[in-house]
Amino acid sequence: MQLYFHEVGIKGAESAFPKTVYKKIKVKNIASFTSNQEHTQKVLNEEFSDGFCNVWGVPKGAASIIKKIRIGDIVLLVRTRAKDGDIPILCKIKFILNESSPE
């Protein structure tokens, strides 16, 4: 297990967090846009038996971190490193989808 941190930035956090890491997403929706829907659905259902999970969508600018992380790693999502900055999200990686997804 590795520990990573990623500075999202205030603008990115305010825009993306309410739609992703602060919201439960249906695993069925995630699987629906993958190239192997059945397999993805099966894996997600095994990991998230209630049919929902939180997600972290990584924008192209942050792609370097997604290349490094592995299942079981911990990621701290930093809003900002400014004086009054905070780290509102601690994620344990349970599944990695290496395909682009819609908004």
Side-chain angles (χ1 to χ4, degrees), residues 90-102:
L90 180 146
C91 307
K92 181 175 182 183
I93 305 301
K94 294 186 174 187
F95 180 79
I96 300 171
L97 180 63
N98 290 315
E99 297 183 47
S100 294
S101 63

Side-chain angles (χ1 to χ4, degrees), residues 77-97:
L77 298 180
V78 179
R79 187 184 326 268
T80 179
R81 290 183 285 168
K83 182 179 178 185
D84 294 324
D86 61 345
I87 303 173
I89 307 294
L90 180 146
C91 307
K92 181 175 182 183
I93 305 301
K94 294 186 174 187
F95 180 79
I96 300 171
L97 180 63

Side-chain angles (χ1 to χ4, degrees), residues 2 10 18 24 27 42 56 59 72 93:
Q2 296 290 318
I10 294 171
K24 292 278 190 171
V27 297
K42 181 179 183 235
W56 173 38
I93 305 301

Side-chain angles (χ1 to χ4, degrees), residues 25-84:
I25 306 295
K26 289 182 182 179
V27 297
K28 180 177 163 182
N29 292 351
I30 296 167
S32 71
F33 61 81
T34 64
S35 57
N36 191 342
Q37 291 182 26
E38 277 188 32
H39 173 73
T40 303
Q41 181 76 44
K42 181 179 183 235
V43 171
L44 289 173
N45 284 342
E46 289 172 2
E47 189 62 51
F48 307 101
S49 60
D50 67 349
F52 292 88
C53 67
N54 301 95
V55 299
W56 173 38
V58 181
K60 290 180 183 179
S64 62
I65 193 170
I66 201 74
K67 292 177 184 174
K68 297 176 186 176
I69 62 172
R70 301 287 179 254
I71 292 173
D73 287 348
I74 303 295
V75 178
L76 301 172
L77 298 180
V78 179
R79 187 184 326 268
T80 179
R81 290 183 285 168
K83 182 179 178 185
D84 294 324

